[in-house]
Amino acid sequence: MKITLHVWRQKDVNSVGKMQRREVNDISQDMSFLEMLDKVNEDIIIEGGEPIAFDHDCREGICGMCSMMINGRAHGPDDGTTTCQLHMRSFQDGDAIHIEPFRARAFPVVRDLVVDRSSFDRIVQAGGFISANTGGCQDANSQLIPKIDSDLAMDAAACIGCGACVASCPNGSAMLFVAAKMGHLANLPQGQPERYTRARNMITQMDAEGFGACSNHYECEASCPKDIPVTFIGDMNRDVLKANTCSSAK
Amino acid sequence: MSLSTYLKSSIGEKTLMAVTGIFLILFVIGHMLGNLQVFVGPEYLNAYAAQLQNLGPLLWAIRLFLLTTMVIHIWAAAKVVRRSVTARPVKYAMQKDVATNFAAKTMLVSGGLILVFVVYHVLHFTSGNIDPIGAFADTHTEEGADVYAMVVTSFQHLPTTIIYSLSMILLCMHISHGASSLVQTLGWRRCSSNCTDKIGPVLAGFLLVGNLSIPLSIYFGLIP
Ligand code: HEM
Ligand code: FES
């Protein structure tokens, strides 16, 4: 395949970046998107240039590192797919492919396509955990959890924190991420004691990081590589409302 | 977090919009039902209008309430929009929307135009400051007001009919996204039910048919 790449190049956080065009030949349909970028980088290195910086780690769709905007969509054109799981057969010979970093005030560009998503870590640190006191081991399965609840918790827990929700949201809102992180704990008994303090603290941190507000466009759901539904945002809204208005939810 | 900090948070601002949105939607529904009496006959519409006027202080209380609601709604809208604009300082060179729709993307524009329309509407049918064909002056005499005659005469005027019809389309666009949104914002959505997303369009559809039927029926001579 032959493709024309338009890639965002930016030296560091303080530099002004720009789109750079590059013609690429000899791409196989079987390559993953990241393998295509690897090949492009090898060519660039041979030419003596600076390779395109991009994040990646597991390359099997579970770590959430391979964040980039491909032809205007987070993680590219395929639904429910991370960039590392996207293959070149999703494109046509002769296509132009635009690659940009995820853009949000809370995701500053570190270099080229690499953004700093530590704002997500700080939101989780603010409340996305349970306090587990250690001691004698409980029998496994001694605490019964209805299947419907555990399924719901697992749906939310599928979040890999990649940031596609923020990237694709017209408002740069992180609500699907925060809702998923709250939702997997709010649906389990272990999450109950801190449920409402968690809701308050995570929202405070989310706002402090400078994410936008949800306007219910639901682009987040459409771009989520784990297909996490926006119903979790509704559940989160209810918990946050309760956490701030009901004396029983302190 | 106290209630006041909550109301300043992103979710709190949305809650303010949703709650005020409910009151505004209830008003729009009531207002439409009242006006549909134009189809029943002059006596009914005029008696309804006189009844409203006779509410006296209560009428002013309702007006004040609606005005406050509107102000809070717009204030919260401004905060929400500002939050979202600053959340992405560098725009994408290419961004494709796949899930959202036209009504959702134009909430600020439709809302702003509704505000302009509301001011125009009050000056037109309530105070009579805007009276392009003299319909208000002719029907408001010492003996009382003939609201039915005013409405029927006004909508025989093409520009007036166009302004009202376009405004109703904008209003219903706004509500088609707004009514579904508020269910989500207030956390009333039941798990994985797609029906939430249909509430807005269905409600807006009814409001559009009801509200458009008045100016259009009059303009096309279906009401004497
Ligand atoms: C009769 C008049 C109006 C009604 C019935 C109405 C109703 C609503 C409702 C129900 C919502 C959804 C709230 C939510 O997301 O939960 C909404 C959103 C919105 N309204 Fe209105 N509204 C009216 C007038 C206005 C006016 C005059 C403005 C002025 C600018 C406005 C601006 C907005 C904006 C910008 C949003 C979306 C905010 C966002 O991005 O989430 N609305 N409206
Ligand atoms: S590299 Fe781990 S999810 Fe793509």
Side-chain angles (χ1 to χ4, degrees):
Chain A
M1 296 171 77
K2 257 179 82 165
I3 49 171
T4 307
L5 280 189
H6 299 266
V7 186
W8 183 261
R9 302 304 306 264
Q10 180 172 339
K11 197 157 165 284
D12 55 36
V13 121
N14 300 314
S15 316
V16 183
K18 63 173 191 331
M19 295 299 277
Q20 198 178 62
R21 185 192 157 106
R22 188 181 171 90
E23 304 297 334
V24 187
N25 301 314
D26 302 329
I27 297 297
S28 150
Q29 298 245 324
D30 297 328
M31 282 179 173
S32 79
F33 198 82
L34 296 187
E35 282 165 348
M36 180 276 289
L37 285 180
D38 289 338
K39 182 188 178 301
V40 171
N41 275 345
E42 281 166 15
D43 296 347
I44 294 177
I45 290 167
I46 290 167
E47 291 162 16
E50 274 294 328
I52 302 162
F54 63 92
D55 253 337
H56 61 105
D57 190 7
C58 69
R59 296 209 178 195
E60 56 182 22
I62 55 171
C63 75
M65 286 303 284
C66 51
S67 298
M68 55 188 86
M69 209 67 178
I70 302 166
N71 282 347
R73 291 200 60 194
H75 296 296
D78 290 1
D79 289 340
T81 308
T82 54
T83 303
C84 57
Q85 298 293 88
L86 175 69
H87 285 78
M88 294 311 291
R89 54 181 165 268
S90 297
F91 300 90
Q92 304 284 321
D93 190 26
D95 271 2
I97 302 178
H98 294 251
I99 317 176
E100 289 179 79
F102 281 4
R103 295 201 185 282
R105 180 152 66 110
F107 287 173
V109 174
V110 176
R111 189 185 178 97
D112 299 340
L113 304 174
V114 179
V115 299
D116 178 356
R117 286 177 293 122
S118 52
S119 48
F120 269 15
D121 300 338
R122 289 187 291 273
I123 295 175
V124 171
Q125 281 159 8
F129 52 80
I130 58 158
S131 302
N133 300 321
T134 52
C137 246
Q138 217 181 358
D139 272 352
N141 298 325
S142 63
Q143 200 163 20
L144 297 181
I145 301 167
K147 172 136 170 55
I148 189 164
D149 292 344
S150 69
D151 281 355
L152 213 53
M154 288 307 288
D155 286 348
C159 173
I160 54 176
C162 67
C165 43
V166 175
S168 60
C169 175
N171 304 332
S173 167
M175 292 218 190
L176 188 59
F177 166 75
V178 182
K181 292 298 164 205
M182 270 188 213
H184 80 275
L185 298 174
N187 283 296
L188 293 175
Q190 291 86 345
Q192 299 314 309
E194 289 148 311
R195 180 169 182 170
Y196 296 105
T197 33
R198 173 182 312 119
R200 282 190 292 269
N201 294 344
M202 290 182 82
I203 290 305
T204 306
Q205 190 61 35
M206 176 184 86
D207 287 348
E209 297 291 349
F211 290 105
C214 175
S215 286
N216 310 308
H217 294 285
Y218 303 151
E219 292 295 336
C220 51
E221 181 184 76
S223 74
C224 176
K226 299 297 155 187
D227 291 327
I228 296 174
V230 292
T231 47
F232 284 109
I233 299 180
D235 296 345
M236 168 179 77
N237 289 338
R238 189 169 57 236
D239 270 15
V240 175
L241 180 63
K242 228 171 150 180
N244 289 290
T245 50
C246 297
S247 51
S248 62
K250 285 297 167 202
Chain B
M1 211 196 277
S2 65
L3 188 63
S4 67
T5 351
Y6 170 64
L7 292 179
K8 284 186 206 134
S9 75
S10 53
I11 295 186
E13 286 164 1
K14 290 284 308 183
T15 306
L16 279 179
M17 295 196 61
V19 172
T20 51
I22 292 179
F23 289 121
L24 293 172
I25 288 177
L26 288 176
F27 165 75
V28 169
I29 295 173
H31 184 268
M32 181 188 80
L33 292 177
N35 289 344
L36 282 175
Q37 295 178 73
V38 76
F39 290 106
V40 193
E43 325 79 69
Y44 287 88
L45 188 68
N46 285 340
Y48 162 70
Q51 233 171 30
L52 286 183
Q53 286 302 324
N54 291 339
L55 290 178
L58 185 59
L59 180 64
W60 280 102
I62 295 173
R63 283 173 173 166
L64 192 66
F65 175 77
L66 282 171
L67 185 67
T68 316
T69 308
M70 196 89 162
V71 169
I72 296 174
H73 187 83
I74 296 171
W75 177 80
K79 302 265 289 188
V80 167
V81 170
R82 202 185 63 177
R83 209 181 264 281
S84 300
V85 169
T86 52
R88 180 166 295 133
V90 184
K91 303 279 169 262
Y92 287 109
M94 187 191 268
Q95 186 178 19
K96 281 193 193 127
D97 297 324
V98 290
T100 188
N101 57 52
F102 184 70
K105 284 194 278 191
T106 53
M107 287 302 269
L108 188 63
V109 179
S110 57
L113 290 172
I114 293 167
L115 180 63
V116 173
F117 169 73
V118 168
V119 174
Y120 161 82
H121 180 50
V122 169
L123 292 175
H124 181 214
F125 274 167
T126 310
S127 72
N129 292 59
I130 299 176
D131 197 10
I133 53 169
F136 188 92
D138 291 346
T139 54
H140 287 67
T141 56
E142 263 107 73
E143 297 101 72
D146 186 351
V147 172
Y148 181 86
M150 172 181 77
V151 171
V152 171
T153 326
S154 294
F155 288 132
Q156 280 159 6
H157 184 228
L158 182 62
T160 306
T161 306
I162 292 177
I163 292 173
Y164 274 80
S165 303
L166 289 181
S167 304
M168 287 307 107
I169 293 172
L170 287 167
L171 175 66
C172 292
M173 259 171 52
H174 197 84
I175 293 177
S176 80
H177 181 67
S180 290
S181 286
L182 73 88
V183 177
Q184 169 86 339
T185 301
L186 297 175
W188 291 344
R189 174 187 202 122
R190 297 325 310 161
C191 296
S192 67
S193 71
N194 283 331
C195 66
T196 304
D197 300 335
K198 306 209 173 71
I199 292 173
V202 169
L203 176 67
F206 278 113
L207 289 172
L208 188 65
V209 171
N211 276 324
L212 277 185
S213 69
I214 301 169
L216 294 184
S217 309
I218 294 172
Y219 185 75
F220 291 106
L222 302 177
I223 293 182

